[in-house]
Amino acid sequence: MFGITLCNFYLENANGGDAATKQKRAEARFMRALHYFYLMDLYANPPFLTKLSSEKAPQIQRADLFLYLESELKDIIGEGGGSEVLADAKTVNYGRADKAAGMLLLARMYLNAEVYTGTARWEDAKKYADMTIGTSYKLCTEGKNGFSAYQLLFMGDNDTNGAQDEIILPALHDGELTQTWGGSI
């Protein structure tokens, strides 16, 4: 919920019609959706707020949260007609959410749609998984400096060692530029 609160704060305070602000707002909406996805997956019916409030957050039903997240994610990957859209795959700095992250989260949601809503959505899961696979991301298949391709994914230089081509949404923690007490996703 802390991550959701931070996203809501940013979304209430970051205004402007320029493209950079709209893209960052889309990224904040993605992060809020990701946090809500985890709450929906783990706890079913979590508290739900899309604005800052001093009031107790009302509880949302899992199926309703699924529909909200589906709409939100489709909007920020460009299917909803909104003006706040994530950048195309691999066109933003490493560590920022792009359309591939949004499509991947949709695919993941659809995989468990039957649990969340009572209705299986296998075709939608396949559609968004295929869309993600069709982006410029690719598997890291070659090792380097005595490390396997798999090991490269977990190295401190995974933004430059070839693994960056596979990692769609890394959690950046470098000890110098990205420090936090609440940064795990």
Side-chain angles (χ1 to χ4, degrees):
M1 288 303 296
F2 178 66
I4 291 167
T5 301
L6 292 176
C7 292
N8 286 341
F9 178 84
Y10 178 83
L11 290 167
E12 284 191 23
N13 290 288
N15 299 310
D18 63 287
T21 300
K22 288 179 180 181
Q23 183 178 324
K24 288 176 184 174
R25 287 181 54 83
E27 291 175 32
R29 289 171 61 195
F30 169 81
M31 292 306 299
R32 179 175 63 189
L34 181 64
H35 288 295
Y36 270 127
F37 167 76
Y38 289 141
L39 290 172
M40 175 182 69
D41 192 50
L42 296 170
Y43 304 109
N45 307 316
F48 181 75
L49 289 172
T50 57
K51 300 209 177 295
L52 294 176
S53 175
S54 60
E55 302 296 318
K56 182 179 175 184
Q59 189 175 25
I60 189 170
Q61 295 302 300
R62 189 179 244 178
D64 295 329
L65 183 53
F66 179 92
L67 293 174
Y68 169 80
L69 293 175
E70 179 182 34
S71 173
E72 185 79 347
L73 290 167
K74 283 184 174 183
D75 190 49
I76 62 175
I77 65 170
E79 292 183 4
S83 63
E84 297 174 355
V85 178
L86 294 168
D88 290 333
K90 294 178 72 173
T91 62
V92 291
N93 293 342
Y94 186 72
R96 291 179 59 186
D98 58 26
K99 286 182 183 179
M103 291 182 290
L104 189 59
L105 185 53
L106 271 169
R108 188 172 176 186
M109 276 180 37
Y110 289 135
L111 281 175
N112 282 331
E114 192 168 8
V115 172
Y116 305 141
T117 67
T119 304
R121 304 276 298 268
W122 302 113
E123 288 301 315
D124 289 324
K126 182 183 183 318
K127 172 186 172 184
Y128 285 96
D130 287 343
M131 288 171 64
T132 305
I133 291 167
T135 67
S136 54
Y137 287 96
K138 62 183 179 187
L139 292 178
C140 177
T141 58
E142 293 185 28
K144 186 177 176 182
N145 299 327
F147 295 103
S148 71
Y150 179 75
Q151 289 171 318
L152 292 178
L153 295 170
F154 302 97
M155 298 289 181
D157 65 347
N158 65 7
D159 61 330
T160 59
N161 68 11
Q164 75 275 9
D165 292 332
E166 179 175 337
I167 303 172
I168 292 177
L169 186 64
L172 302 181
H173 301 281
D174 65 10
E176 292 179 21
L177 300 176
T178 310
Q179 299 176 16
T180 180
W181 287 276
S184 61
I185 294 179

Short mmCIF file of all heavy atoms in Angstrom, two decimals, residues 90-122:
data_model
loop_
_atom_site.label_atom_id
_atom_site.label_comp_id
_atom_site.label_asym_id
_atom_site.label_seq_id
_atom_site.Cartn_x
_atom_site.Cartn_y
_atom_site.Cartn_z
N LYS A 90 11.98 -0.88 -24.86
CA LYS A 90 13.41 -0.56 -24.88
C LYS A 90 13.74 0.81 -25.48
O LYS A 90 14.81 1.00 -26.03
CB LYS A 90 14.20 -1.66 -25.59
CG LYS A 90 14.16 -2.98 -24.82
CD LYS A 90 14.88 -4.07 -25.54
CE LYS A 90 16.36 -3.82 -25.48
NZ LYS A 90 17.14 -4.93 -26.02
N THR A 91 12.83 1.76 -25.38
CA THR A 91 13.12 3.11 -25.85
C THR A 91 13.31 4.10 -24.70
O THR A 91 13.53 5.28 -24.94
CB THR A 91 12.01 3.64 -26.80
OG1 THR A 91 10.77 3.70 -26.07
CG2 THR A 91 11.87 2.75 -28.03
N VAL A 92 13.22 3.60 -23.46
CA VAL A 92 13.46 4.45 -22.29
C VAL A 92 14.65 3.88 -21.52
O VAL A 92 15.10 2.77 -21.78
CB VAL A 92 12.22 4.53 -21.37
CG1 VAL A 92 11.11 5.32 -22.03
CG2 VAL A 92 11.72 3.16 -20.97
N ASN A 93 15.15 4.64 -20.58
CA ASN A 93 16.29 4.19 -19.78
C ASN A 93 15.99 2.87 -19.09
O ASN A 93 14.86 2.60 -18.68
CB ASN A 93 16.66 5.25 -18.74
CG ASN A 93 17.21 6.51 -19.35
OD1 ASN A 93 17.63 6.52 -20.51
ND2 ASN A 93 17.21 7.57 -18.58
N TYR A 94 17.04 2.09 -18.92
CA TYR A 94 16.96 0.80 -18.23
C TYR A 94 16.35 1.00 -16.85
O TYR A 94 16.74 1.89 -16.10
CB TYR A 94 18.37 0.23 -18.11
CG TYR A 94 18.46 -1.15 -17.54
CD1 TYR A 94 18.05 -2.25 -18.27
CD2 TYR A 94 19.00 -1.37 -16.28
CE1 TYR A 94 18.15 -3.53 -17.77
CE2 TYR A 94 19.11 -2.64 -15.78
CZ TYR A 94 18.69 -3.72 -16.52
OH TYR A 94 18.79 -4.98 -16.01
N GLY A 95 15.36 0.18 -16.53
CA GLY A 95 14.72 0.26 -15.23
C GLY A 95 13.37 0.95 -15.25
O GLY A 95 12.64 0.92 -14.26
N ARG A 96 13.03 1.59 -16.36
CA ARG A 96 11.73 2.25 -16.47
C ARG A 96 10.74 1.33 -17.17
O ARG A 96 11.09 0.57 -18.06
CB ARG A 96 11.87 3.57 -17.21
CG ARG A 96 12.64 4.59 -16.39
CD ARG A 96 12.83 5.89 -17.10
NE ARG A 96 11.57 6.50 -17.48
CZ ARG A 96 11.50 7.60 -18.22
NH1 ARG A 96 12.61 8.18 -18.66
NH2 ARG A 96 10.33 8.12 -18.54
N ALA A 97 9.49 1.43 -16.78
CA ALA A 97 8.44 0.60 -17.38
C ALA A 97 8.14 1.06 -18.80
O ALA A 97 8.10 2.25 -19.08
CB ALA A 97 7.17 0.67 -16.54
N ASP A 98 7.95 0.09 -19.69
CA ASP A 98 7.56 0.39 -21.06
C ASP A 98 6.37 -0.49 -21.43
O ASP A 98 5.82 -1.20 -20.58
CB ASP A 98 8.75 0.21 -22.02
CG ASP A 98 9.35 -1.19 -22.00
OD1 ASP A 98 8.63 -2.16 -21.66
OD2 ASP A 98 10.54 -1.32 -22.33
N LYS A 99 5.95 -0.42 -22.69
CA LYS A 99 4.76 -1.17 -23.12
C LYS A 99 4.93 -2.67 -22.89
O LYS A 99 3.95 -3.36 -22.58
CB LYS A 99 4.45 -0.89 -24.58
CG LYS A 99 3.85 0.47 -24.81
CD LYS A 99 3.51 0.69 -26.27
CE LYS A 99 2.98 2.09 -26.46
NZ LYS A 99 2.66 2.37 -27.87
N ALA A 100 6.14 -3.19 -23.04
CA ALA A 100 6.35 -4.62 -22.83
C ALA A 100 6.01 -5.01 -21.39
O ALA A 100 5.41 -6.07 -21.15
CB ALA A 100 7.79 -5.01 -23.15
N ALA A 101 6.35 -4.16 -20.44
CA ALA A 101 6.01 -4.44 -19.03
C ALA A 101 4.49 -4.47 -18.85
O ALA A 101 3.96 -5.34 -18.16
CB ALA A 101 6.65 -3.40 -18.12
N GLY A 102 3.80 -3.53 -19.47
CA GLY A 102 2.34 -3.50 -19.38
C GLY A 102 1.69 -4.72 -20.01
O GLY A 102 0.78 -5.32 -19.44
N MET A 103 2.20 -5.12 -21.18
CA MET A 103 1.64 -6.29 -21.86
C MET A 103 1.94 -7.56 -21.07
O MET A 103 1.08 -8.45 -20.97
CB MET A 103 2.22 -6.40 -23.27
CG MET A 103 1.74 -5.31 -24.20
SD MET A 103 2.35 -5.44 -25.89
CE MET A 103 4.08 -5.06 -25.71
N LEU A 104 3.13 -7.64 -20.48
CA LEU A 104 3.48 -8.81 -19.70
C LEU A 104 2.62 -8.94 -18.46
O LEU A 104 2.19 -10.03 -18.10
CB LEU A 104 4.97 -8.76 -19.33
CG LEU A 104 5.56 -10.00 -18.69
CD1 LEU A 104 5.42 -11.21 -19.61
CD2 LEU A 104 7.03 -9.77 -18.37
N LEU A 105 2.33 -7.81 -17.81
CA LEU A 105 1.46 -7.86 -16.63
C LEU A 105 0.04 -8.27 -17.02
O LEU A 105 -0.60 -9.05 -16.31
CB LEU A 105 1.47 -6.52 -15.90
CG LEU A 105 0.68 -6.47 -14.59
CD1 LEU A 105 1.10 -7.57 -13.63
CD2 LEU A 105 0.83 -5.10 -13.94
N LEU A 106 -0.44 -7.79 -18.16
CA LEU A 106 -1.75 -8.24 -18.63
C LEU A 106 -1.75 -9.75 -18.88
O LEU A 106 -2.69 -10.45 -18.47
CB LEU A 106 -2.12 -7.51 -19.93
CG LEU A 106 -2.87 -6.20 -19.77
CD1 LEU A 106 -2.93 -5.45 -21.09
CD2 LEU A 106 -4.26 -6.42 -19.22
N ALA A 107 -0.72 -10.26 -19.54
CA ALA A 107 -0.64 -11.70 -19.80
C ALA A 107 -0.66 -12.47 -18.49
O ALA A 107 -1.36 -13.49 -18.36
CB ALA A 107 0.62 -12.02 -20.60
N ARG A 108 0.08 -11.99 -17.52
CA ARG A 108 0.14 -12.67 -16.22
C ARG A 108 -1.22 -12.65 -15.52
O ARG A 108 -1.63 -13.63 -14.92
CB ARG A 108 1.21 -12.00 -15.36
CG ARG A 108 1.49 -12.71 -14.09
CD ARG A 108 2.68 -12.12 -13.40
NE ARG A 108 2.87 -12.77 -12.12
CZ ARG A 108 3.77 -12.39 -11.23
NH1 ARG A 108 4.57 -11.39 -11.49
NH2 ARG A 108 3.88 -13.01 -10.09
N MET A 109 -1.91 -11.52 -15.61
CA MET A 109 -3.24 -11.43 -15.01
C MET A 109 -4.20 -12.41 -15.68
O MET A 109 -4.98 -13.09 -15.00
CB MET A 109 -3.81 -10.02 -15.17
CG MET A 109 -3.38 -9.05 -14.11
SD MET A 109 -4.06 -7.39 -14.34
CE MET A 109 -5.70 -7.65 -14.94
N TYR A 110 -4.14 -12.48 -17.01
CA TYR A 110 -5.05 -13.37 -17.73
C TYR A 110 -4.77 -14.84 -17.45
O TYR A 110 -5.68 -15.66 -17.51
CB TYR A 110 -4.98 -13.10 -19.23
CG TYR A 110 -5.59 -11.78 -19.65
CD1 TYR A 110 -4.94 -10.94 -20.54
CD2 TYR A 110 -6.83 -11.37 -19.16
CE1 TYR A 110 -5.50 -9.74 -20.94
CE2 TYR A 110 -7.40 -10.17 -19.55
CZ TYR A 110 -6.73 -9.36 -20.44
OH TYR A 110 -7.29 -8.17 -20.83
N LEU A 111 -3.53 -15.18 -17.12
CA LEU A 111 -3.23 -16.57 -16.78
C LEU A 111 -4.04 -17.04 -15.58
O LEU A 111 -4.44 -18.20 -15.52
CB LEU A 111 -1.73 -16.74 -16.48
CG LEU A 111 -0.82 -16.84 -17.67
CD1 LEU A 111 0.63 -16.87 -17.21
CD2 LEU A 111 -1.13 -18.07 -18.50
N ASN A 112 -4.27 -16.15 -14.63
CA ASN A 112 -5.03 -16.51 -13.43
C ASN A 112 -6.41 -15.89 -13.39
O ASN A 112 -7.03 -15.79 -12.33
CB ASN A 112 -4.25 -16.11 -12.17
CG ASN A 112 -3.14 -17.07 -11.86
OD1 ASN A 112 -3.22 -18.25 -12.19
ND2 ASN A 112 -2.08 -16.57 -11.24
N ALA A 113 -6.90 -15.44 -14.52
CA ALA A 113 -8.21 -14.76 -14.56
C ALA A 113 -9.31 -15.62 -13.97
O ALA A 113 -10.23 -15.10 -13.32
CB ALA A 113 -8.55 -14.36 -15.99
N GLU A 114 -9.23 -16.91 -14.15
CA GLU A 114 -10.28 -17.80 -13.62
C GLU A 114 -10.33 -17.73 -12.09
O GLU A 114 -11.41 -17.78 -11.49
CB GLU A 114 -10.05 -19.23 -14.09
CG GLU A 114 -11.22 -20.14 -13.84
CD GLU A 114 -11.10 -21.47 -14.57
OE1 GLU A 114 -10.04 -21.75 -15.16
OE2 GLU A 114 -12.08 -22.22 -14.53
N VAL A 115 -9.18 -17.58 -11.46
CA VAL A 115 -9.12 -17.45 -10.01
C VAL A 115 -9.68 -16.09 -9.59
O VAL A 115 -10.43 -15.99 -8.62
CB VAL A 115 -7.67 -17.60 -9.50
CG1 VAL A 115 -7.58 -17.28 -8.01
CG2 VAL A 115 -7.16 -18.99 -9.79
N TYR A 116 -9.33 -15.05 -10.34
CA TYR A 116 -9.73 -13.69 -9.96
C TYR A 116 -11.19 -13.38 -10.27
O TYR A 116 -11.83 -12.64 -9.53
CB TYR A 116 -8.85 -12.66 -10.68
CG TYR A 116 -7.37 -12.85 -10.50
CD1 TYR A 116 -6.51 -12.63 -11.55
CD2 TYR A 116 -6.83 -13.25 -9.28
CE1 TYR A 116 -5.14 -12.79 -11.41
CE2 TYR A 116 -5.46 -13.41 -9.14
CZ TYR A 116 -4.62 -13.19 -10.20
OH TYR A 116 -3.28 -13.35 -10.06
N THR A 117 -11.71 -13.93 -11.38
CA THR A 117 -13.03 -13.53 -11.85
C THR A 117 -14.01 -14.68 -12.01
O THR A 117 -15.20 -14.44 -12.22
CB THR A 117 -12.94 -12.82 -13.21
OG1 THR A 117 -12.52 -13.75 -14.21
CG2 THR A 117 -11.98 -11.64 -13.15
N GLY A 118 -13.51 -15.91 -12.03
CA GLY A 118 -14.38 -17.05 -12.27
C GLY A 118 -14.45 -17.44 -13.75
O GLY A 118 -15.10 -18.41 -14.10
N THR A 119 -13.79 -16.67 -14.60
CA THR A 119 -13.82 -16.93 -16.05
C THR A 119 -12.39 -17.05 -16.57
O THR A 119 -11.59 -16.14 -16.38
CB THR A 119 -14.53 -15.78 -16.80
OG1 THR A 119 -15.84 -15.62 -16.25
CG2 THR A 119 -14.61 -16.06 -18.28
N ALA A 120 -12.10 -18.15 -17.24
CA ALA A 120 -10.77 -18.34 -17.83
C ALA A 120 -10.58 -17.38 -19.00
O ALA A 120 -11.53 -17.10 -19.74
CB ALA A 120 -10.61 -19.78 -18.30
N ARG A 121 -9.37 -16.88 -19.17
CA ARG A 121 -9.05 -15.95 -20.26
C ARG A 121 -7.77 -16.40 -20.97
O ARG A 121 -6.87 -15.62 -21.21
CB ARG A 121 -8.87 -14.54 -19.71
CG ARG A 121 -10.05 -13.96 -18.93
CD ARG A 121 -11.11 -13.34 -19.79
NE ARG A 121 -10.67 -12.23 -20.57
CZ ARG A 121 -10.73 -10.96 -20.19
NH1 ARG A 121 -11.21 -10.62 -19.02
NH2 ARG A 121 -10.31 -10.01 -21.01
N TRP A 122 -7.69 -17.67 -21.34
CA TRP A 122 -6.48 -18.24 -21.91
C TRP A 122 -6.08 -17.57 -23.22
O TRP A 122 -4.90 -17.34 -23.47
CB TRP A 122 -6.64 -19.74 -22.13
CG TRP A 122 -6.97 -20.48 -20.88
CD1 TRP A 122 -8.13 -21.13 -20.58
CD2 TRP A 122 -6.13 -20.64 -19.73
NE1 TRP A 122 -8.08 -21.68 -19.32
CE2 TRP A 122 -6.85 -21.39 -18.78
CE3 TRP A 122 -4.84 -20.21 -19.40
CZ2 TRP A 122 -6.33 -21.74 -17.54
CZ3 TRP A 122 -4.32 -20.55 -18.17
CH2 TRP A 122 -5.06 -21.30 -17.25
#
